[in-house]
Amino acid sequence: RILNKFCNEYVLIGEDRTSLPVQYLRYAKQIKNFEVLNDDIWITSFPKTGTTWAQEMIWMIINNLDFDGGKESLTKRFPFLEISGLFEHKKAFAALKLPIDKYSSVDLAANQNSRPRFIKTHLPFSLLPDQIKNGTKTPKMIYVVRNPKDTCISLCHHGNLLQGWKIDVNNFAKLFMAEKSIYGSFWKHVLGFWKHRDSSNTLFIKYEDMKADLPSIIGKVANFLEIQLTEEQIEILTKHLSFESMKKNNAVNWEDYVGLLRKNNFVYEENGSFIRTGKVKQYKEELSPEIIEQFDAWIKKNIAGTTLEDEYIF
Ligand code: A3P
């Protein structure tokens, strides 16, 4: 079991038995009863699938490419619903010498000043607010999916960089496949949302498609959000969202946060960064042939008989 620096216990929650830090339980009821608005924009994804990339795209599309407004940190512009439940809040803030914030991330997501509200979550469908699950509210939901092998190594680096996991990628891959790392089962997560892919308020996007043809994904997302972008705007946004541009953009690259952790000796990958390699099939450089073989068998087993098999080549 992977533990983070500010948490020494995980629990299995909900019908998918999603593995989350025990702190999550403090916010579980508030999230279940969260008041959803029909004009909310939600981004949902398994961690490390390109969420930040898609968030910046969505925010810019809705805000008419407001690059000035976009200098504000993305974490403030696009709140992360359950982040307060991912670590021992007070302990983490104290260790990082930050004033204790009296608002939880759930409150911050709820109480946004402008409309639409932007909400990021990595929760599986089974742990979303009741109003979304029972269909009484239909916010726009964009789900980002990525090849699990790249997702897995990216998550391993993330944990080593920001959570002090200190684990090598091949050992981490075994935990990932055994559904024992944070957010539990990759497949329950993807398939839980995949079931809703035909709902008019849901859009699936793939990391690999964003890499292959970003302008067309920008167009697809804008269309879904009912925003008309000109060819020129799509071109400008494509440049803004390039790997190089995002890597040096302090509003989205988490460097301030990583810097703070580094200063307090909570960073274990000396040259690590949140926006890391941004490649498709990077796993080939990092996983052993035996683990890749196990991974491929695991993928095959988990998508057999699902329509995911026909529509997504992992
Ligand atoms: P890698 O660790 O494989 O590089 P998330 O935002 O869900 O945590 O996902 C982070 C992953 O998205 C990281 O993957 C990061 O490098 C990648 N990413 C972020 N911005 C990107 C961009 N503009 N182009 C390509 N990949 C990007």
Side-chain angles (χ1 to χ4, degrees), residues 141-168:
M141 315 259 294
I142 297 177
Y143 188 85
V144 195
V145 61
R146 184 181 192 187
N147 181 315
K149 285 176 272 190
D150 286 335
T151 303
C152 170
I153 58 168
S154 183
L155 183 54
C156 179
H157 287 289
H158 178 105
N160 284 343
L161 179 69
L162 299 177
Q163 317 243 337
W165 287 353
K166 288 188 177 171
I167 185 165
D168 79 80

Side-chain angles (χ1 to χ4, degrees), residues 45-55 74 120 122 144 146 150-151 153-155 157-158 207 210-211 214 238-247 252 254 273-280 282-283 286:
S45 62
F46 196 86
K48 310 315 291 177
T49 50
T51 324
T52 314
W53 194 11
Q55 275 175 278
L74 184 62
K120 159 187 168 179
H122 289 316
V144 195
R146 184 181 192 187
D150 286 335
T151 303
I153 58 168
S154 183
L155 183 54
H157 287 289
H158 178 105
Y207 180 93
M210 288 166 74
K211 285 290 294 184
L214 190 55
T238 301
K239 283 200 187 117
H240 174 75
L241 294 172
S242 73
F243 182 78
E244 294 69 29
S245 154
M246 291 232 352
K247 197 167 172 65
V252 301
W254 292 68
S273 52
F274 185 91
I275 301 199
R276 198 178 57 99
T277 57
K279 290 190 182 145
V280 175
Q282 171 69 14
Y283 73 83
E286 302 190 37

Side-chain angles (χ1 to χ4, degrees), residues 86-114:
L86 299 186
F87 49 79
E88 176 62 76
H89 220 136
K90 287 194 179 157
K91 218 163 118 191
F93 277 128
L96 294 173
K97 301 183 180 70
L98 290 172
I100 308 250
D101 195 332
K102 60 179 186 292
Y103 300 109
S104 79
S105 55
V106 187
D107 295 326
L108 293 173
N111 303 322
Q112 296 181 41
N113 292 330
S114 54

Side-chain angles (χ1 to χ4, degrees), residues 178-244:
E179 308 181 350
K180 285 189 173 159
S181 75
I182 190 157
Y183 288 100
S185 167
F186 177 85
W187 295 111
K188 283 184 186 146
H189 204 288
V190 177
L191 288 163
F193 283 93
W194 187 247
K195 270 194 227 147
H196 300 273
R197 72 190 179 286
D198 295 328
S199 310
S200 57
N201 67 320
T202 303
L203 179 72
F204 253 73
I205 54 174
K206 302 170 190 168
Y207 180 93
E208 291 76 11
D209 290 348
M210 288 166 74
K211 285 290 294 184
D213 187 355
L214 190 55
S216 89
I217 300 298
I218 293 174
K220 193 170 165 180
V221 171
N223 207 17
F224 175 72
L225 296 173
E226 297 169 75
I227 302 278
Q228 194 73 38
L229 292 181
T230 63
E231 289 297 314
E232 196 195 347
Q233 282 179 310
I234 293 183
E235 203 183 311
I236 295 168
L237 186 52
T238 301
K239 283 200 187 117
H240 174 75
L241 294 172
S242 73
F243 182 78
E244 294 69 29

Side-chain angles (χ1 to χ4, degrees), residues 42 50 153 184 234 250 263:
W42 287 60
I153 58 168
I234 293 183
N250 279 333
K263 221 165 79 193

